[in-house]
Amino acid sequence: MKHLETGPGLASAPRAFLRDLNADNLSAGVVAGIFGLSAGIIHISAGTAAGLPKDFTLLWVISYLFINGLFGLLLPAYYRLPLPMANSIPGALLFAAIIPVVGLNEALGATLIAGAISVVVALAGWMSLVMRLIPMPIVMGMVAGVLLKFGTNMVMPLQNALIPAVVMIAAFFLSARFLRRVPPLVVTLVVGVLYMALSGADFSSVELSFRMPEFIMPAFSMDAFLAYGLPLALILVGMETPAGVGLVKGMGYKEAPANAITFVGGIGTMVSAFFNLHSTCIAAPMTGICSSPEAGTHDKRWVAAVIVGLIFVVAAPFYGFVFSLIEAMPSYFIAIIAGLALLRVISSAMHITFSGKHEVGAMFSFLIAVSGLQIFGIGASFWALILGAAISMLVEFRDFDFSQEREALRKRFPAKSVG
């Protein structure tokens, strides 16, 4: 456990939460929470495309929110950092696709092993090496490429929903300019909801339901591990943690507990395997929202991440209702809110990607992430990191920092004196 970073702890967290809570981090947490709730649509779409039963898909989303919400309460509260937890979207797509091939129980068994691998990597303290092998500009190139679509999705409604898009975007920038004491995201949310209500949004399909996560026993097979478990472990260790740490550091935080994030995600993934869920990890897009300047001063942005966890835990049993409510809103509503919330994050990611070292690798990382390509069924985010780092090593090797490894080798094999 010596490699796990320490933090302020949980004992004083409730008091600190009430002390640090303000309008900025509350609004950012609500926006990030809404964004996380809407991400359940990705799971439902993936499950539908794979032919999975609707009942299982709903349980999958409920477990995603409830389990990730619990871990999302603990991690940011312990470290007082904006570290919301969710699950891997590339992992979700792999999970849905592999279930018809190897079976649900076997897929969950592979999930359990992937979580154990993450725990071992964290306890061994190898995340610092992983972060040096995949430097910040390459990580942020991947982040910028992934988040770019949220920016383009924000402006696309100007084509087909001009009036509501202009109203919401204008509300954001006008409030930022003239209502300095009111968070612009709050103003945008209120204006957007009022517009939807006045324009006659149909809420007749909204229905109330209640359901909790259900226990299931994983099974094990080598085919499931090779086809899904090993890629998932690589995604969790090599992509999700570096992306989250990169976002936190990109927002001005000097340190982020990479080993602890990987450890908690690994434990969460092992627990998830018993409840129809494929992973637990730091949530990059929501980390971007919670760590952004819109969430207030640096020392109080952690509250936004805790609010995300609270929203997840409370909403999980009622997700059947929440999903039907989200369905009642036009798709551009969430797209505009998420895009505005991530504007500063996209800007920061772009700046880190295209200024400084690893220029070629970072550019390839960005382009691969934007492309959305898939190789061997594994998504672009993973390949952006792997191929971006490989290309950078090939043409920019001097930009890598392996001083710690060289120092360790010198201590282990000291040069013999001559004489």
Side-chain angles (χ1 to χ4, degrees):
M1 304 289 281
K2 66 178 181 178
H3 295 292
L4 298 184
E5 301 86 348
T6 58
L10 294 173
S12 60
R15 184 169 62 254
F17 177 85
L18 294 175
R19 180 196 65 212
D20 292 345
L21 179 65
N22 58 41
D24 290 325
N25 52 40
L26 174 62
S27 63
V30 169
V31 169
I34 293 173
F35 179 87
L37 294 178
S38 67
I41 299 173
I42 298 173
H43 298 70
I44 293 171
S45 299
T48 301
L52 303 180
K54 183 178 179 180
D55 185 66
F56 161 76
T57 305
L58 181 58
L59 273 175
W60 183 20
V61 179
I62 290 171
S63 296
Y64 145 59
L65 294 171
F66 193 81
I67 294 173
N68 294 168
L70 289 176
F71 283 96
L73 289 172
L74 299 175
L75 190 66
Y78 181 85
Y79 286 101
R80 311 291 160 81
L81 289 170
L83 305 172
M85 302 295 283
N87 61 186
S88 170
I89 295 302
L93 302 178
L94 279 175
F95 183 59
I98 201 64
I99 290 174
V101 179
V102 300
L104 173 60
N105 300 77
E106 286 76 11
L108 292 171
T111 294
L112 184 61
I113 298 174
I117 292 173
S118 299
V119 169
V120 170
V121 169
L123 291 177
W126 292 338
M127 281 309 303
S128 60
L129 175 60
V130 172
M131 297 290 287
R132 287 195 294 280
L133 287 171
I134 309 176
M136 186 66 64
I138 294 172
V139 172
M140 295 309 286
M142 180 274 291
V143 171
V146 170
L147 295 184
L148 184 64
K149 66 181 179 182
F150 294 106
T152 57
N153 288 344
M154 176 193 69
V155 298
M156 280 302 294
L158 292 170
Q159 178 176 299
N160 299 317
L162 179 62
I163 294 177
V166 168
V167 167
M168 293 178 68
I169 294 172
F172 180 87
F173 289 109
L174 288 173
S175 62
R177 175 66 177 83
F178 297 108
L179 302 175
R180 299 286 179 89
R181 295 176 179 271
V182 183
L185 289 174
V186 172
V187 175
T188 308
L189 277 169
V190 172
V191 169
V193 170
L194 286 175
Y195 181 89
M196 300 305 160
L198 293 174
S199 62
D202 182 13
F203 297 105
S204 61
S205 61
V206 176
E207 57 182 9
L208 182 65
S209 63
F210 182 91
R211 195 167 185 181
M212 294 293 288
E214 296 180 7
F215 181 84
I216 184 172
M217 182 60 69
F220 300 96
S221 76
M222 184 58 68
D223 289 344
F225 172 70
L226 294 176
Y228 162 68
L230 184 57
L232 177 64
L234 292 173
I235 288 170
L236 294 176
V237 172
M239 188 194 84
E240 299 295 358
T241 296
V245 170
L247 278 168
V248 172
K249 289 186 175 180
M251 287 295 106
Y253 292 88
K254 293 182 179 179
E255 299 294 335
N259 287 318
I261 291 170
T262 306
F263 177 78
V264 172
I267 294 295
T269 299
M270 295 176 72
V271 172
S272 299
F274 293 93
F275 293 94
N276 294 286
L277 180 60
H278 68 282
S279 69
T280 295
C281 62
I282 188 169
M286 287 181 286
T287 299
I289 297 172
C290 294
S291 63
S292 68
E294 283 72 22
T297 58
H298 278 83
D299 60 328
K300 297 180 180 179
R301 294 178 191 174
W302 68 278
V303 172
V306 174
I307 290 171
V308 173
L310 288 169
I311 291 173
F312 276 19
V313 170
V314 172
F318 303 98
Y319 193 78
F321 167 78
V322 174
F323 181 67
S324 64
L325 183 61
I326 291 175
E327 279 190 317
M329 303 295 284
S331 59
Y332 62 77
F333 179 86
I334 294 297
I336 292 173
I337 293 294
L340 290 171
L342 291 169
L343 272 181
R344 295 284 291 273
V345 180
I346 296 171
S347 174
S348 176
M350 290 283 196
H351 175 73
I352 295 173
T353 299
F354 299 115
S355 61
K357 299 179 179 180
H358 305 280
E359 292 179 2
V360 177
M363 172 63 80
F364 268 87
S365 177
F366 173 75
L367 294 175
I368 292 168
V370 170
S371 73
L373 62 79
Q374 285 199 353
I375 303 175
F376 305 124
I378 302 175
S381 299
F382 174 78
W383 293 114
L385 294 177
I386 299 301
L387 297 180
I391 291 169
S392 189
M393 279 195 174
L394 182 64
V395 301
E396 306 166 315
F397 187 78
R398 290 186 178 181
D399 288 347
F400 285 85
D401 177 17
F402 294 118
S403 57
Q404 293 186 24
E405 283 70 26
R406 287 194 294 268
E407 182 63 26
L409 286 174
R410 278 196 294 267
K411 289 181 179 180
R412 187 172 182 180
F413 303 105
K416 295 182 179 179
S417 60
V418 179

